[in-house]
Structures are given as C-alpha cells and as structure tokens.
Amino acid sequence: MEKSEADQQFELELYWCIQQLENTLVTKKMNPKQAQDVTQSLKVLKSQKAPLVKKRQLMRMTFGDYRAKMLEEQKKFSKAYHRAEISIASPNKNSRYLRKKSAFVKVRSIRNNEGEEEPHIEANQRDFAYNPSDNSFRFNFSDTETK
C-alpha cells in the first residue's frame, strides 16, 4: 500500500515537529512544568493511536505556522549549503599545489620588502629527515609481586 503525497507531507511535518521538541528538551533550560509539557507533546506526537487531527492541532498550538518555519529552515540550510559548495569549488587564486615525492606542498607568493613576489613553501619537505629508532627505551616493570 503506497502512501499518498499528503500522507508523506504530514509525516515530514510530524518528524520536523518531533525533532524540534527533542532539541528543545536537550538545549533549553526549562522549569519542570515546561519540560513536562514538552514530554507530553512528544508522547502524543509519537503515539500510533493518537488521531491525526489531535496531532495536527498540537503541532499548530506548539509551533504556530510550522509549515512556514520548515520552509524558512530549508531555505537557510540550502543557502548555507550553496555557500559551502561555492567556497569548495573556487580555490584561492594566490595558491598553487605541487606534488613532490607523494607529499603535497602548498606554494604561495609573498611580497618581500622591495615589493617583489617570492615563492614561499609552507610545508618544506626538504628539511624533514626520518631517523629510525633503535627502540632502546623499555619500561622497568618488576616481575615480583608485592604481597
């Protein structure tokens, strides 16, 4: 049995309201009466036996125009996602990435005192030398037990 589009939309709205109430319980400091009201609302919204009309009424009383709030939140997250997508897609124009011996080195231009641009290597692989350890360090644990 397939769910109709209206049923799917209601489920989406219901889950949004439940999530908002759970976040309220976790993040806000409330007096015991407010916490009890929020928990009771959650119990009704999560109940399988509660009628749909009662759930819608509770959602409207608790959040007001919850559909508008959902759209506002969706727009906010889509804008943030779009900004993050743009910042990832457009690299810094003053930086170049070179590969040297399977290590990435970031090179950027820096102006010296005379105003000339000089390349500057941030991760200098030439100065790094690996020296193997002789593993001479040992913990001094005694084998005898003290009784």
Side-chain angles (χ1 to χ4, degrees):
M1 182 173 140
E2 285 188 30
K3 293 183 179 181
S4 69
E5 191 173 319
D7 290 341
Q8 290 176 349
Q9 181 64 27
F10 172 71
E11 280 189 20
L12 182 66
E13 294 165 355
L14 179 66
Y15 290 139
W16 183 85
C17 289
I18 289 172
Q19 182 183 23
Q20 295 300 314
L21 287 173
E22 287 175 344
N23 287 344
T24 302
L25 270 179
V26 172
T27 58
K28 290 189 179 177
K29 291 184 179 179
M30 297 181 271
N31 62 36
K33 173 71 173 135
Q34 290 173 326
Q36 184 182 8
D37 290 344
V38 171
T39 344
Q40 183 64 31
S41 298
L42 272 171
K43 186 177 179 181
V44 171
L45 291 178
K46 289 181 178 182
S47 171
Q48 298 291 326
K49 296 180 181 181
L52 185 113
V53 176
K54 184 174 183 178
K55 289 181 181 183
R56 282 209 185 272
Q57 184 181 25
L58 181 64
M59 291 160 56
R60 176 71 65 183
M61 285 180 4
T62 307
F63 296 104
D65 191 5
Y66 57 89
R67 291 178 182 146
K69 291 179 182 179
M70 286 176 66
L71 285 174
E72 182 182 317
E73 186 177 283
Q74 184 180 8
K75 287 178 185 176
K76 182 177 78 172
F77 283 122
S78 67
K79 284 180 184 177
Y81 175 76
H82 184 66
R83 272 188 260 125
E85 191 176 66
I86 288 174
S87 67
I88 291 171
S90 57
N92 188 354
K93 292 182 172 103
N94 297 331
S95 297
R96 290 185 305 175
Y97 291 91
L98 303 175
R99 185 174 179 151
K100 182 177 179 180
K101 292 186 181 180
S102 73
F104 287 97
V105 178
K106 185 176 180 181
V107 179
R108 63 184 172 122
S109 299
I110 295 181
R111 294 193 186 273
N112 61 14
N113 292 339
E114 292 84 35
E116 300 171 0
E117 288 191 5
E118 295 179 350
H120 174 72
I121 299 175
E122 290 186 4
N124 194 347
Q125 294 291 324
R126 287 176 267 148
D127 294 340
F128 179 76
Y130 176 75
N131 296 324
S133 172
D134 62 352
N135 293 328
S136 61
F137 177 79
R138 301 279 188 260
F139 284 103
N140 190 12
F141 293 119
S142 63
D143 292 335
T144 58
E145 293 181 19
T146 56
K147 293 185 181 180

